């Protein structure tokens, strides 16, 4: 690629692919500002002011890494390299701004992960559990830079342990009002958005039957109703069994990504996020389904940092019990290095998924 100039159309094409980057609950907490023919800014907002799962902003930082990697892959596909520079954010503590500069690459070639950007989608349904082949595992290993490691949990007893852990973590999420305040906002129960939602999670992508969907919608109308159903009618037992325990069993296996040296800085999370994106896109190119299982990592971090994430004593007590289970699974000394957990399995593409905001809605002047 000899051209020194990036036609603005190219930036738009790069961003149009990049907007398919996944974000927690499809929040897409970013905006893009085109600065010149060769540069644009990314304005990333963390959700720490309302989302209990992002109290320390770390999941947002991790997601910036996923976005950087998606932008890089799209830029390379168009013959450009990227450079990122953090910019001042004024007084807004929840905002992180980066300047991205594009430079022409000497070699233009198809990026092997580019086509997976738009087709990749979280798979929350039960998956086929045929074990991964050595070739498939090698493809995942090849995504890792020095300092990262993958541990696989594939035996039936390991899958059951992870299922129990996820079931227990969901119990923490359902008993606390702080969890309800998030869940009641992120599922798109609006008419017409049950299968594809541009800003939230469509209910059909959760992988539960229509009756459970309808009951969930009804129960989520108010905290008092949800709390009553959860506490006195055991109304979340089926959801936890179906969405957490069974899915953990019905897959090929779970991978735990660990990072040996970790200082929990913004750069640290971004580096991890980049690896996560490569792993997820690699799963897609191999025709495998993938679902992040982030809550054990997040709650373990809250425990270590002494973050008081709920006013509900049951939630705090249960999170502490689950943390012990998590340590039992991965080992006491390894728990600090845990960066990401996900399940992988054999599946066809989801028939319901989150789609995205239009690029025009993500551009700022
Ligand atoms: C950092 C991160 C953590 C996530 N954690 C979970 C999770 O614990 N469980 C889950 O079902 N989905 C999880 N997701 C998936 C998102 O909800 C999903 O990617 C988003 O709604 C967009 O949908 P799509 O992947 O189908 O495009 C996570 C995504 C990201 C980026």
């Amino acid at each position: 690629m000899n051209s020194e100039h990036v036609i603005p159309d190219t930036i738009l094409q790069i961003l149009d692919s990049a907007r398919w980057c996944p974000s927690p609950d499809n929040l897409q907490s970013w905006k893009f500002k085109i600065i010149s023919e060769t540069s644009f800014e990314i304005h990333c907002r963390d959700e720490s002011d309302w989302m209990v799962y992002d109290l320390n902003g770390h999941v947002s930082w991790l997601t910036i890494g996923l976005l950087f990697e998606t932008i890089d892959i799209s830029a390379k596909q168009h013959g450009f390299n990227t450079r990122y520079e953090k910019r001042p954010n004024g007084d807004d503590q929840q905002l992180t701004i980066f300047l991205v500069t594009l430079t022409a690459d000497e070699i233009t070639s198809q990026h092997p992960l580019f086509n997976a950007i738009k087709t990749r989608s979280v798979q929350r349904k039960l998956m086929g559990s045929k074990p991964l082949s050595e070739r498939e595992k090698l493809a995942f290993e090849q995504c890792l830079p020095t300092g990262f490691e993958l541990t696989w949990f594939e035996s039936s007893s390991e899958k059951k342990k992870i299922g129990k852990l996820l079931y227990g973590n969901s119990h923490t999420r359902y008993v606390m009002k702080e969890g309800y305040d998030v869940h009641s906002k992120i599922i798109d129960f609006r008419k017409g958005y049950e299968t594809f939602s541009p800003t939230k999670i469509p209910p059909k992508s959760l992988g539960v039957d229509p009756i459970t969907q309808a009951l969930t919608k009804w129960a989520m109308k108010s905290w008092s109703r949800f709390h009553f159903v959860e506490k006195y009618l055991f109304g979340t037992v089926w959801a936890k069994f179906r969405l957490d325990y069974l899915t953990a069993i019905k897959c090929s296996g779970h991978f735990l990504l660990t990072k040996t040296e970790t200082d929990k800085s913004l750069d640290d999370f971004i580096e991890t996020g980049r690896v996560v994106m490569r792993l997820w896109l690699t799963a897609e190119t191999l025709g495998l389904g993938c679902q992040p299982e982030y809550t054990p990592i997040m709650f373990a971090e809250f425990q270590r940092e002494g973050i008081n994430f709920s006013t509900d004593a049951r939630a705090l007590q249960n999170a502490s019990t689950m943390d012990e289970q998590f340590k039992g699974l991965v080992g006491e000394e390894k728990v600090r290095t845990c960066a990401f957990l996900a399940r992988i399995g054999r599946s066809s593409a989801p028939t319901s998924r989150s789609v995205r905001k239009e690029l025009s809605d993500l551009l700022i002047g």
Side-chain angles (χ1 to χ4, degrees), residues 20-28 30 58-60 62-63 66 117-124 166 173 186 200-202 205-206 243-244 276-277 280 290-296 340-341 350 352-356:
W20 287 92
C21 172
S23 53
D25 305 324
N26 200 25
L27 287 170
Q28 306 158 71
W30 41 63
H58 288 178
V59 73
S60 289
L62 181 79
T63 309
L66 277 87
I117 290 177
K118 283 191 190 172
T119 54
R120 178 224 53 81
S121 176
V122 58
Q123 179 55 277
R124 297 194 180 92
L166 296 170
R173 300 191 295 126
I186 58 161
K200 299 182 185 197
I201 295 177
S205 74
L206 296 175
L243 292 175
D244 296 299
V276 170
M277 194 69 245
W280 204 344
C290 174
Q291 180 183 21
E293 298 164 324
Y294 199 65
T295 55
F340 206 73
L341 180 69
S352 163
R353 68 165 295 181
S354 294
V355 287
R356 297 293 185 269

Side-chain angles (χ1 to χ4, degrees), residues 20-311:
W20 287 92
C21 172
S23 53
D25 305 324
N26 200 25
L27 287 170
Q28 306 158 71
S29 311
W30 41 63
K31 297 274 184 197
F32 305 116
K33 182 175 177 181
I34 296 181
I35 301 295
S36 73
E37 289 189 331
T38 54
S39 61
F40 59 91
E41 283 181 353
I42 317 174
H43 293 222
C44 303
R45 180 160 288 286
D46 75 49
E47 308 291 342
S48 56
D49 57 338
W50 71 280
M51 181 177 259
V52 62
Y53 308 127
D54 198 22
L55 278 183
N56 49 11
H58 288 178
V59 73
S60 289
W61 290 0
L62 181 79
T63 309
I64 295 174
L66 277 87
L67 181 64
F68 278 17
E69 192 62 22
T70 315
I71 290 174
D72 266 24
I73 293 170
S74 311
K76 287 218 170 70
Q77 177 78 11
H78 288 89
F80 294 94
N81 287 316
T82 47
R83 198 180 63 238
Y84 297 86
E85 207 183 309
K86 194 162 171 290
R87 307 290 278 177
N89 61 343
D91 290 334
D92 191 341
Q93 294 307 313
Q94 281 175 254
L95 186 67
T96 313
I97 303 177
F98 296 92
L99 176 70
V100 186
T101 309
L102 300 173
T103 49
D105 197 346
E106 292 301 311
I107 311 152
T108 312
S109 60
Q110 294 281 310
H111 195 292
L113 298 177
F114 178 74
N115 287 336
I117 290 177
K118 283 191 190 172
T119 54
R120 178 224 53 81
S121 176
V122 58
Q123 179 55 277
R124 297 194 180 92
K125 296 190 178 169
L126 306 182
M127 295 194 267
S129 47
K130 186 176 158 218
L132 294 186
S133 66
E134 286 309 312
R135 183 186 66 84
E136 286 166 332
K137 280 194 186 167
L138 185 65
F140 288 116
E141 289 292 334
Q142 284 168 346
C143 298
L144 307 184
T146 316
F148 285 88
E149 249 178 51
L150 285 181
T151 307
W152 290 95
F153 300 101
E154 298 168 286
S155 71
S156 151
S157 75
E158 286 171 331
K159 286 187 204 172
K160 281 183 187 157
K161 279 186 191 160
I162 294 195
K164 261 179 80 183
L165 179 68
L166 296 170
Y167 183 106
N169 273 305
S170 283
H171 185 62
T172 308
R173 300 191 295 126
Y174 295 148
V175 297
M176 60 180 179
K177 179 166 183 309
E178 294 84 353
Y180 169 84
D181 288 341
V182 174
H183 309 146
S184 56
K185 289 189 184 72
I186 58 161
I187 304 177
D188 206 339
F189 285 119
R190 290 175 301 164
K191 211 170 163 31
Y193 294 94
E194 299 89 348
T195 311
F196 300 105
S197 167
T199 50
K200 299 182 185 197
I201 295 177
K204 284 191 182 164
S205 74
L206 296 175
V208 290
D209 58 275
I211 295 174
T212 309
Q213 272 176 49
L215 284 174
T216 309
K217 182 180 175 181
W218 176 83
M220 282 206 172
K221 278 266 186 270
S222 70
W223 165 240
S224 54
R225 187 185 284 184
F226 187 84
H227 184 55
F228 184 84
V229 168
E230 184 280 317
K231 192 164 183 185
Y232 300 106
L233 304 180
F234 305 103
T236 59
V237 170
W238 169 242
K240 287 180 290 199
F241 178 72
R242 177 63 186 74
L243 292 175
D244 296 299
Y245 187 76
L246 262 193
T247 46
I249 308 236
K250 291 291 288 171
C251 65
S252 303
H254 304 253
F255 71 73
L256 175 70
L257 177 70
T258 49
K259 185 171 191 280
T260 342
E261 297 291 325
T262 166
D263 60 6
K264 304 287 170 195
S265 62
L266 172 64
D267 287 347
D268 197 37
F269 278 95
I270 291 178
E271 192 189 2
T272 302
R274 281 174 169 270
V275 180
V276 170
M277 194 69 245
R278 285 203 291 278
L279 289 167
W280 204 344
L281 292 172
T282 299
E284 174 67 14
T285 59
L286 294 171
L288 297 166
C290 174
Q291 180 183 21
E293 298 164 324
Y294 199 65
T295 55
I297 308 270
M298 179 206 66
F299 281 128
E301 205 181 280
F302 286 178
Q303 292 292 320
R304 273 199 313 278
E305 293 186 359
I307 294 179
N308 209 7
F309 57 88
S310 177
T311 52

